[in-house]
């Protein structure tokens, strides 16, 4: 039996990326001890034990799965890359349904020319080299892949949740940079088939953020609210420059108020990529997460 949204931490979800060094069981135990009500799962942790077992581990701890991350990385321009991405994303949909989450977060992928987390290839011609750096065409392929996957996701009761990433990640992780872009891609589909994730680390800078959050709420597309802070100086890998809420520059009061005004009543995931936090004592990390959530986010929900 999973917990209901009650108590001060009734909406707090610990994303397993925050406790990257822990196994799934260890992360779930830590979240339960701290009083969290949910966990956001990454697929690497699910694959440790299999989707059925992962779902049972979470349920047995009295928690729920707020989301599964990540799917996507489907900007390939060659037939083999497209086929491979579609196969992996269909597997991710099945995993989300199996662990008990209706929300599958998609990081869409960067330019095919990138040597980042998506598959890279060696172009055979000048035309292919141009294509691998063509943002307009790459973003169109994202739309095409969503169209390919939406019926399959809907059949399994899983929502495609598009997560825009900060523009510094356009080349290697996501050609989708703003909440407005994500909502435009979601527009052709019912809100329970394609939604959006709002991660403070990625969208806090956007001058149109308040209006786009209101739009997302009016369209019923807010599927996930993720929080962490933007800290300086940036790490050598900017992906690892996240911090606890309150350690950086993000205005959690305003953004959370906008989220609340937009009608979002779901879980709030704390997702932090930071080597120092990964190396720290688990109970200290989770306790700090709960304290910062209580002080800086909860009052505005």
């Amino acid at each position: 039996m999973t917990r209901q949204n009650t108590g001060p931490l009734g909406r707090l979800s610990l994303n397993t990326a925050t406790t990257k060094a822990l196994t799934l069981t260890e992360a779930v135990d830590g979240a339960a001890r701290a009083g969290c009500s949910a966990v956001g799962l990454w697929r690497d942790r699910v694959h440790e034990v299999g989707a059925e077992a992962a779902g049972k581990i979470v349920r047995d701890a009295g928690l729920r799965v707020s989301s599964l991350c990540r799917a996507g990385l489907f900007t390939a321009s060659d037939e083999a890359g497209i086929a491979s991405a579609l196969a992996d994303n269909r597997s991710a949909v099945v995993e989300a349904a199996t662990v008990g989450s209706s929300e599958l977060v998609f990081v869409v992928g960067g330019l095919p020319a990138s040597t980042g987390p998506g598959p890279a290839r060696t172009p055979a011609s000048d035309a292919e080299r141009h294509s691998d750096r063509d943002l307009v065409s790459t973003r169109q392929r994202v739309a095409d892949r969503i169209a390919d996957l939406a019926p399959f996701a809907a059949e399994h009761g899983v929502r495609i949740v598009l997560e825009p990433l900060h523009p510094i990640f356009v080349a290697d992780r996501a050609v989708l940079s703003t909440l407005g872009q994500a909502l435009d891609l979601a527009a052709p589909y019912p809100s329970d088939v394609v939604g959006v994730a709002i991660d403070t680390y990625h969208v806090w800078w956007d001058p149109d953020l308040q209006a786009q959050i209101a739009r997302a709420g009016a369209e019923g597309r807010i599927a996930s609210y993720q929080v962490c802070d933007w800290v300086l100086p940036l790490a050598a890998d900017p992906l690892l420059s996240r911090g606890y809420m309150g350690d950086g520059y993000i205005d959690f009061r305003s953004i959370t108020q906008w989220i609340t005004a937009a009608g979002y009543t779901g879980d709030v995931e704390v997702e932090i990529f930071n080597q120092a936090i990964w190396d720290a004592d688990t109970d200290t990390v989770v306790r700090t997460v709960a304290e910062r959530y209580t002080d800086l986010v909860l009052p505005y929900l």
Side-chain angles (χ1 to χ4, degrees), residues 19-212:
T19 55
K20 186 176 177 64
L22 302 186
T23 66
L24 175 64
T25 298
E26 291 168 341
V28 169
D29 287 348
R33 285 197 309 273
C36 299
S37 293
V39 287
L41 300 181
W42 273 67
R43 292 176 69 197
D44 57 349
R45 292 294 168 258
V46 171
H47 293 168
E48 290 174 353
V49 297
E52 289 188 9
K56 185 176 187 301
I57 289 169
V58 175
R59 292 191 299 273
D60 287 352
L63 306 181
R64 58 182 172 270
V65 180
S66 53
S67 72
L68 179 66
C69 191
R70 76 180 176 227
L73 301 183
F74 49 21
T75 55
S77 57
D78 61 302
E79 291 185 8
I82 291 170
S84 176
L86 288 174
D88 181 64
N89 281 287
R90 291 189 182 104
S91 294
V93 167
V94 174
E95 289 166 14
T98 303
V99 300
S101 177
S102 60
E103 314 299 348
L104 177 59
V105 178
F106 278 66
V107 174
V108 299
L111 290 167
S114 169
T115 56
R121 67 189 184 91
T122 302
S125 67
D126 287 343
E128 287 190 358
R129 277 190 288 273
H130 170 76
S131 176
D132 283 356
R133 290 163 174 78
D134 183 345
L135 267 174
V136 174
S137 296
T138 303
R139 288 175 175 141
Q140 180 57 51
R141 286 195 296 277
V142 171
D144 294 342
R145 299 295 80 77
I146 293 170
D148 291 336
L149 291 164
F152 185 81
E155 287 172 8
H156 288 79
V158 171
R159 175 156 53 174
I160 293 171
V161 181
L162 302 175
E163 181 177 4
L165 268 58
H166 191 282
I168 61 175
F169 299 113
V170 166
D172 62 347
R173 283 185 168 83
V175 295
L176 188 60
S177 301
T178 68
L179 184 56
Q181 285 177 311
L183 290 168
D184 289 346
L185 284 173
Y189 307 95
S191 60
D192 61 346
V193 175
V194 183
V196 296
I198 299 173
D199 184 330
T200 56
Y201 181 77
H202 291 302
V203 302
W204 71 280
W205 59 274
D206 186 352
D208 201 31
L209 184 59
Q210 182 177 7
Q212 293 303 324

Side-chain angles (χ1 to χ4, degrees), residues 2-15 19 27-40 58 61-64 66 267-270 285-291 293-294:
T2 55
R3 300 175 182 175
Q4 300 301 311
N5 275 358
T6 58
L9 303 184
R11 295 173 64 182
L12 177 59
S13 176
L14 178 69
N15 189 288
T19 55
V28 169
D29 287 348
R33 285 197 309 273
C36 299
S37 293
V39 287
V58 175
L63 306 181
R64 58 182 172 270
S66 53
D267 292 314
V268 180
E269 286 188 18
V270 178
V285 170
V286 183
R287 184 173 62 251
T288 304
V289 162
E291 291 172 352
Y293 167 83
T294 300

